[in-house]
Each structure stands twice: as C-alpha cells, then as structure tokens.
C-alpha cells in the first residue's frame, strides 16, 4: 500500500464498524432506511430519548427536531444525529440498520481479531433497534441463505431481503459513559449480541467523538442476551 508497514509485522487486526450501516453513492443496500435525497418512506419508531434540535442550513424542511414520545424516521435520524455527511463533498450518506452478513464477510476477508463499534450513542432514544442477521432470496423468502454467505456479484445482492432481529433500545444519554459497565443494560446487550452474531470479540465501543469516549470491552464471546 506504500505505507511502509510490511504484512509480516502486523499481528493484530481491529475492524472498525459503526453501530449501524452507511453507504455513499449508488448500489444495492439491503438494510437501507433512508437515501441521500431523503425521499424513501423510512422506518418509523417511537423516540424516547432526550429532546434534540439539529440545524440544517438550507434544508427544505428546516431543522431536524427529536421530541420525546413522537415517532421518528429512523434513517433520517441516523443521518442527522450521526452527522452522516461526506467531509469533502458534503453528500448525505445513505443509512440503514446494522448488516451482520456484511460485517461477517468483511471480518472473514480481513481476518479481524476484534471489532471496534463506533457511534453507539447515535442509536440512543429508539424504543427498539433492528439488526439484520441473515439474508433470504427475494424470490424465495422461505429460503434462508447459509450463515456467512455474501453474494459475489452486485446483481445477486440486489435480490436479497433481510431477516431481522429486534432488540430493546435505551433512553439514557450514553455520551458521558467512560466504562462499558456504565452503559445502560440494553446498550450493553446490543453490543454483546453483535459480538455473538459476528463471532469476533468487541474490543471497544465509541459513544462520542472524543478520544475518551472510546470504551474498552472485555466481555468473552458467548455472552449475548
């Protein structure tokens, strides 16, 4: 790669994964909730967290507001609360639920020794959180594709639908947590369930942009729900 780091000296690989899935540009996106133009129907979920207001200069619908007890468009919430905009282009990223088959495939290709989950705080306030745990053929939804399967061609990826697992969300602000044990129980269960589904230990979790907001996780595999 030109970095001057020969492969033989790398003895530990950490995969960095958001607590949800994002993508820029065109192409299949099985767990997509909202696109760049914000014109998809999106998934509606009760919001139970603290009230928030995000200014959106020049946006046709004005500021993005989260009000406790109201329904929220989850994909749009991920975009705005997660600041999912391209640093250089300013393009809005497409957002969706966490895609476990995609993460497992990436882990297999790159040989992850552990996973770092970032932006866990962005999910705060959702009553329930969905995770895609498997793919099914869109033309034969009764057929669950094998564990670890990931299409080798984009046309095949366009023809999958997701099987979801629903987990309880949390209402507490987690951005001030500095130990994994300080997270709400539901947030801990989310992290441990992702660890269990991927089959790779989660070594750290991010709950904010500061370096101190990266929490160390030392929970063994097998600890899920």
């Amino acid at each position: 790669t030109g970095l001057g780091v020969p492969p033989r000296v790398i003895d530990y690989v950490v995969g960095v994964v958001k607590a949800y899935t994002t993508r820029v540009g065109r192409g299949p996106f099985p767990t997509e909730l909202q696109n760049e133009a914000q014109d998809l129907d999106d998934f509606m979920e009760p919001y139970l967290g603290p009230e928030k207001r995000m200014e959106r200069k020049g946006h046709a619908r004005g500021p993005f507001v989260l009000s406790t007890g109201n329904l929220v468009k989850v994909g749009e919430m991920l975009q705005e609360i997660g600041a999912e905009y391209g640093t250089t282009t300013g393009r809005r990223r497409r957002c969706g639920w966490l895609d476990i088959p995609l993460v497992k495939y990436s882990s297999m290709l790159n040989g992850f020794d552990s996973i770092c989950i970032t932006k866990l705080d962005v999910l705060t306030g959702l009553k329930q959180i969905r995770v895609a745990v498997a793919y099914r053929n869109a033309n034969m939804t009764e057929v669950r594709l094998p564990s670890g399967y990931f299409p080798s061609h984009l046309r095949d990826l366009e023809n999958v639908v997701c099987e979801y697992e629903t987990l309880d969300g949390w209402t507490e602000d987690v951005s001030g947590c500095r130990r994994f044990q300080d997270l709400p129980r539901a947030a801990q269960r989310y992290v441990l369930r992702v660890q269990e589904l991927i089959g790779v230990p989660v070594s750290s979790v991010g709950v904010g942009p500061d370096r101190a907001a990266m929490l160390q996780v030392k929970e063994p595999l097998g600890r899920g729900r």
Side-chain angles (χ1 to χ4, degrees):
T1 63
L3 291 176
V5 181
R8 74 178 69 181
V9 304
I10 300 173
D11 58 8
Y12 196 87
V13 180
V14 179
V16 181
V17 181
K18 292 176 185 176
Y20 49 93
T21 306
T22 62
R23 178 168 184 164
V24 175
R26 298 181 179 180
F29 187 169
T31 66
E32 184 173 20
L33 295 171
Q34 195 51 266
N35 60 15
E36 181 180 353
Q38 291 188 334
D39 58 8
L40 294 183
D41 288 340
D42 214 325
F43 185 87
M44 305 294 289
E45 182 71 23
Y47 177 76
L48 304 178
E51 298 199 0
K52 296 183 180 180
R53 179 186 176 92
M54 308 289 293
E55 296 297 333
R56 298 187 290 188
K57 187 176 180 179
H59 197 288
R61 297 199 298 273
F64 180 73
V65 179
L66 288 175
S67 299
T68 306
N70 288 353
L71 289 174
V72 64
K73 292 182 176 180
V74 176
E76 186 176 359
M77 171 183 157
L78 298 179
Q79 289 174 331
E80 303 299 345
I81 301 302
E84 294 296 349
Y85 290 82
T87 304
T88 303
T89 65
R91 291 181 63 183
R92 189 180 293 111
R93 298 187 183 105
R94 300 160 65 189
C95 290
W97 300 116
L98 184 61
D99 186 333
I100 293 297
L102 174 62
V103 178
K104 288 184 71 171
Y105 183 68
S106 179
S107 177
M108 180 191 71
L109 282 183
N110 296 284
F112 296 158
D113 294 294
S114 70
I115 297 287
C116 167
I117 298 177
T118 65
K119 295 195 171 186
L120 185 69
D121 54 304
V122 176
L123 298 176
T124 295
L126 293 176
K127 184 177 180 180
Q128 293 184 316
I129 301 169
R130 303 177 82 190
V131 178
V133 296
Y135 289 157
R136 291 179 182 268
N137 188 308
N139 299 315
M140 297 182 294
T141 55
E142 71 279 4
V143 179
R144 187 184 198 189
L145 299 174
S147 177
Y149 168 82
F150 193 83
S152 59
H153 197 283
L154 290 179
R155 283 198 299 267
D156 295 326
L157 188 58
E158 290 174 346
N159 290 318
V160 302
V161 293
C162 295
E163 178 182 326
Y164 288 97
E165 182 175 308
T166 302
L167 303 173
D168 291 333
W170 56 92
T171 61
E172 303 92 329
D173 181 6
V174 300
S175 61
C177 295
R178 291 299 176 262
R179 299 185 309 155
F180 181 71
Q181 294 77 11
D182 296 335
L183 291 174
R185 288 300 304 164
Q188 293 185 39
R189 284 194 292 269
Y190 181 82
V191 171
L192 296 178
R193 183 56 178 152
V194 170
Q195 172 177 268
E196 182 179 32
L197 289 167
I198 298 173
V200 175
V202 174
S203 55
S204 54
V205 176
V207 294
D210 296 333
R211 185 171 298 182
M214 189 62 66
L215 317 182
Q216 299 303 305
V217 182
K218 298 179 181 179
E219 301 293 341
L221 276 172
R223 279 207 58 195
R225 289 171 288 178

